[in-house]
Every structure is written in C-alpha cells, then in structure tokens.
Amino acid sequence: MSAVLTLQGVHTYYAKSHILHDVCLGAEAGEIVTLLGRNGAGKTTTLRSIMGLTPAREGRITLFGEDITRRTPFQIAAMGVGYVPEGRRVFGNLTVEENLLVPVSGPSGRWTLARVYDLFPRLRERRASKARTLSGGEQEMLAIARALLVNPRLLILDEPSQGLAPLIVRDVFRTVKEMKGEGITVLLVEQNVRAAVEIAERAFVMDDGRIVWSGPAAEFAADEERVRALAGASTHHMH
C-alpha cells in the first residue's frame, strides 16, 4: 500500500487562534478514511489545511509522496484532488449540465459527463434545470459529480450527508463506496458516525483540534459506547 496523503505534526491557526494541534493522519491508496468528531472539533480546518485554503503553520503534509504544505489550492487540486466542501456550493443560476462543464479543463480521464450521468441518473434527468431548483440530495450528487470530473485520485468530502433524508444519505454513501471500487482514495468528514464507519477502512477521531483516537473503522464501530457518545454529540446537527 502506498500513502496517498499524510499529515505529520500539523498545527494550523486562524489569525491568532490555534485550531489544530499536532495532527497526524494518513490515507493509503484506494482506502476510505473517515475523520469524525463533534462540531467545532477542527475537522473542516483539517481539510482546509490539506487543500492549502488555511495553510498549516507547522508540520508537513504530503500528497502522492510530494510535500504540499506550502502549495496553493489550485496546485493541489491540479495534482488530482477533488474537494466537495460543506454546504455543496453549486452554482445555483447555472443548469446542472453547466455546473458539470465547469471543471472539465482537467486531463480527460475515466470520468466523463456520460459516465457521471450513468452514476447519477437523476442528474441526467435534470440536466437542463437550474441547480438551485434541485433538492439537497440532488445538489450533493451534483457537487460529487463535479469533483469526479476532475478525475481525482483523492476525493475529499466534507459532511456529504448534512441535511439529507436517510434514504438519500444511503445513496450518497453507496456512491462513496463505489469511488473506492474505482481506485479513488476517499477522505470523508462526517457527522453521521454510524454510516461513516460502515464504509470506511480507517477512522480518526478529533476533539478540540487533536486526534484522540485512530484505528480500524470496524474497531471503532464495535465500541458502541464510543459511537453513541460521538453520535449523540452530533445528532442535533443532523436534522
């Protein structure tokens, strides 16, 4: 197994606030890794540090064996990283298809418009609709589809199930699992603890800007007390 992503001793600040403390985590090729923790634990900041949006002040981040700690978000994305931020951020006044054509400047690879429509038939049906008229689930599919068209080797998802009905959540997670079948490494930040540990190989749990637990996701899933404590801490954000 080769490491796709590693964070070693990462410290990140927002202005003077010290948010991430000595964060170490990693993802191997073709693995689904989930980063769990209650709201405000530092999960989104971790993703922003990886993407170069909020650069780490100390420590080292490597991607495909290259040091990216000081690279720009554009350079990092161009290395083959698809990033789906929290809250979807699709272009509401563009149609579904126009949204999907935005990233297609990347290398033509396995993911094409036709293939994305095969994966998300609902997007094909709605391809002429303005994105703002889509349901939350459809917008999430659109955001993931758009990231896939970059033909990423690493897909980073921030809270993909947020605000979605349970049936739709199942769809989204099934899609994430299919990414793994395509050889894409997935880093998933998720409040829905049970759903996340079901599809991930490894889990990292964050609290107050520190990694407080890491190991096989199945091991975490088996510790009902720990799952309940974490799930309970975030359930009120899921509705």
Side-chain angles (χ1 to χ4, degrees):
M1 294 285 264
S2 55
V4 164
L5 176 73
T6 54
L7 278 70
Q8 293 163 302
V10 167
H11 291 261
T12 300
Y13 295 74
Y14 278 132
K16 288 198 168 67
S17 305
H18 192 173
I19 309 289
L20 299 185
H21 302 264
D22 197 25
V23 169
C24 297
L25 63 85
E28 305 282 327
E31 186 177 47
I32 298 177
V33 170
T34 184
L35 177 59
L36 307 168
R38 59 194 74 207
N39 257 14
K43 304 185 303 292
T44 294
T45 305
T46 302
L47 301 188
R48 291 180 58 87
S49 295
I50 293 166
M51 291 305 299
L53 292 162
T54 311
R57 201 177 289 181
E58 285 173 58
R60 188 158 179 254
I61 302 175
T62 58
L63 180 66
F64 312 121
E66 289 185 48
D67 189 331
I68 60 161
T69 320
R70 302 280 164 266
R71 293 200 187 167
T72 65
F74 176 78
Q75 290 170 320
I76 292 164
M79 288 175 71
V81 182
Y83 176 50
V84 181
E86 197 178 7
R88 305 181 184 116
R89 311 218 183 126
V90 296
F91 299 109
N93 54 344
L94 297 182
T95 65
V96 165
E97 188 140 317
E98 286 165 344
N99 265 275
L100 292 173
L101 293 173
V102 171
V104 183
S105 53
S108 58
R110 297 203 305 265
W111 290 96
T112 58
L113 200 55
R115 184 130 185 256
V116 157
Y117 281 149
D118 288 343
L119 182 63
F120 300 115
R122 191 82 188 105
L123 293 182
R124 179 182 275 130
E125 287 166 33
R126 305 222 45 194
R127 63 177 178 249
S129 309
K130 294 261 193 271
R132 72 166 109 73
T133 66
L134 303 183
S135 69
E138 290 164 344
Q139 288 191 20
E140 188 60 50
M141 303 286 178
L142 178 56
I144 293 174
R146 200 173 58 185
L148 287 175
L149 286 169
V150 181
N151 281 287
R153 293 190 284 161
L154 172 65
L155 186 61
I156 296 179
L157 301 170
D158 195 359
E159 303 283 5
S161 79
Q162 199 175 46
L164 302 183
L167 267 175
I168 307 292
V169 171
R170 221 171 23 230
D171 270 354
V172 169
F173 276 95
R174 191 168 54 232
T175 303
V176 172
K177 212 169 172 177
E178 283 171 21
M179 300 304 99
K180 179 189 157 65
E182 295 289 340
I184 298 174
T185 303
V186 179
L187 175 59
L188 170 70
V189 160
E190 188 47 74
Q191 289 278 3
N192 189 332
V193 177
R194 289 184 205 307
V197 292
E198 217 166 88
I199 63 165
E201 273 81 32
R202 276 197 297 161
F204 292 85
V205 180
M206 193 164 233
D207 194 29
D208 207 15
R210 294 176 169 81
I211 299 290
V212 293
W213 190 93
S214 66
E219 194 178 307
F220 187 84
D223 188 340
E224 188 51 41
E225 204 171 306
R226 190 177 255 140
V227 170
R228 202 177 302 126
L230 197 51
S234 43
T235 38
H236 59 285
H237 299 289
M238 282 176 56
H239 300 299

